[in-house]
Amino acid sequence: MIQIQDLKVSVWEKQILNWVSLEFELGKNYCLLGKNGSGKSTLSSVLMWHPKYEVTSGSISINGEDLLEMEPNERSNAWIFLSFQNIPEIKGVKLSEYLRTIFNISEKGKNPEFADLSPFIFKRFIKKHMQELQIDEAFLDRDLNVWFSGGEKRKIEILQMKLIGPKYIILDEIDSGLDLDAFKTVASMLQSLSSPENSIIIITHYFTILEYIDVDKVFVMKAWNIVKEWGKELAQEISESGFGEV
Ligand code: ADP
Ligand code: MG
């Protein structure tokens, strides 16, 4: 479980989160809803670690351990996966090598005895996953995300999630930049990734994604704080009738 208590965050002395408290439990999915500038991306960046943001008070624990004391690589090591609002393109890094590297690091984190998979073995292993996600094998030889479409980039992210098996998957506005078909495909892939072992946290302006992914709780953020919590039924009702201003 991730427990956030009375969290205050500032950037260059400007306060952008104020007494935020909430919990994420494994086996449940969440939605963080709120207008631009309400602090949603700040909260996700603080969970993953970001040099820009300073936690000035409060605490975040993960399974009872102090998350704020953990290095970013410890946080990512099978714990937290943050899907960025804008996915970076990296020239000179081949997709296959990138995936092999993160897979080997993640497996070593779980079992220090793990012997790295060679490029040859890894390619055989990854192709099975790529077929499931309907990603063309030719992508393996291309540079990471360079000239990939929005939908392709998201599929590659889902492939990474499958490889690492993170517990908490935070998706910051994944709906931006996708057309409806790509959005539906990505949403249904995410739904199939959802399990009692993980928790999907969706950050969005819109309710549409809730039609495709089961969400147990909705948090509404406003002016740098959580102002409302809705259970599943209420969220469903509001998503059908429209929620107006939040
Ligand atoms: P959201 O993701 O909900 O749109 P953000 O978490 O990105 O909101 O931003 C919350 C607030 O923090 C906004 O008012 C934004 O302008 C401010 N903010 C974020 N980063 C900085 C920064 N580097 N300097 C000054 N203000 C910032
Ligand atoms: Mg944002």
Side-chain angles (χ1 to χ4, degrees):
M1 187 188 318
I2 292 184
Q3 282 176 302
I4 301 176
Q5 237 159 15
D6 297 334
L7 191 72
K8 280 184 159 194
V9 174
S10 62
V11 52
W12 298 322
E13 323 234 309
K14 177 184 170 197
Q15 186 143 330
I16 43 178
L17 286 183
N18 199 9
W19 302 115
V20 169
S21 295
L22 52 88
E23 287 180 2
F24 300 122
E25 262 179 83
L26 287 180
K28 291 190 176 169
N29 297 334
Y30 299 86
C31 176
L32 199 58
L33 199 71
K35 280 192 174 162
N36 258 333
S38 56
K40 306 183 299 296
S41 295
T42 303
L43 186 59
S44 58
S45 301
V46 169
L47 284 167
M48 197 69 232
W49 190 85
H50 196 292
K52 201 168 75 174
Y53 303 109
E54 191 195 349
V55 174
T56 52
S57 72
S59 64
I60 308 180
S61 71
I62 186 161
N63 277 359
E65 284 184 58
D66 188 351
L67 182 87
L68 296 174
E69 288 293 312
M70 294 181 187
E71 298 295 328
N73 64 321
E74 293 177 82
R75 300 183 193 197
S76 74
N77 217 340
W79 285 114
I80 301 177
F81 186 104
L82 175 61
S83 164
F84 293 107
Q85 205 163 335
N86 302 303
I87 302 176
E89 301 187 354
I90 305 176
K91 281 208 180 88
V93 177
K94 252 197 201 175
L95 177 65
S96 59
E97 269 314 289
Y98 172 74
L99 293 174
R100 189 172 76 92
T101 306
I102 62 165
F103 177 74
N104 284 336
I105 292 173
S106 152
E107 288 303 300
K108 271 224 181 70
K110 292 173 202 161
N111 168 18
E113 314 273 286
F114 178 81
D116 282 359
L117 294 192
S118 68
F120 180 74
I121 305 274
F122 181 74
K123 263 195 183 163
R124 267 208 326 229
F125 161 79
I126 193 77
K127 280 179 182 170
K128 189 179 66 167
H129 289 293
M130 292 180 83
Q131 274 160 12
E132 270 172 30
L133 295 175
Q134 294 168 4
I135 306 170
D136 193 331
E137 284 173 17
F139 278 61
L140 285 174
D141 293 320
R142 289 176 53 180
D143 284 355
L144 180 60
N145 292 324
V146 177
W147 299 110
F148 290 15
S149 73
E152 288 160 355
K153 286 180 182 170
R154 291 297 172 202
K155 278 190 184 181
I156 298 297
E157 271 196 332
I158 294 172
L159 184 59
Q160 292 173 48
M161 292 171 204
K162 277 183 172 266
L163 290 179
I164 306 176
K167 301 280 181 207
Y168 299 91
I169 298 169
I170 308 171
L171 306 155
D172 196 354
E173 306 215 11
I174 53 155
D175 29 19
S176 61
L178 297 187
D179 63 34
L180 192 60
D181 278 345
F183 173 74
K184 282 184 186 167
T185 311
V186 167
S188 74
M189 284 174 177
L190 284 170
Q191 175 66 56
S192 68
L193 207 74
S194 173
S195 86
E197 306 287 311
N198 64 21
S199 168
I200 300 183
I201 300 154
I202 300 159
I203 297 178
T204 184
H205 287 293
Y206 306 105
F207 258 126
T208 332
I209 197 146
L210 303 188
E211 290 171 27
Y212 305 98
I213 300 179
D214 278 337
V215 166
D216 300 277
K217 204 178 245 183
V218 177
F219 295 109
V220 182
M221 278 194 97
K222 191 174 183 178
W224 317 328
N225 210 334
I226 306 286
V227 290
K228 282 179 199 140
E229 269 184 49
W230 299 328
K232 199 177 173 137
E233 284 78 27
L234 188 55
Q236 204 59 45
E237 230 172 81
I238 295 166
S239 91
E240 279 156 20
S241 60
F243 59 96
E245 287 278 293
V246 289

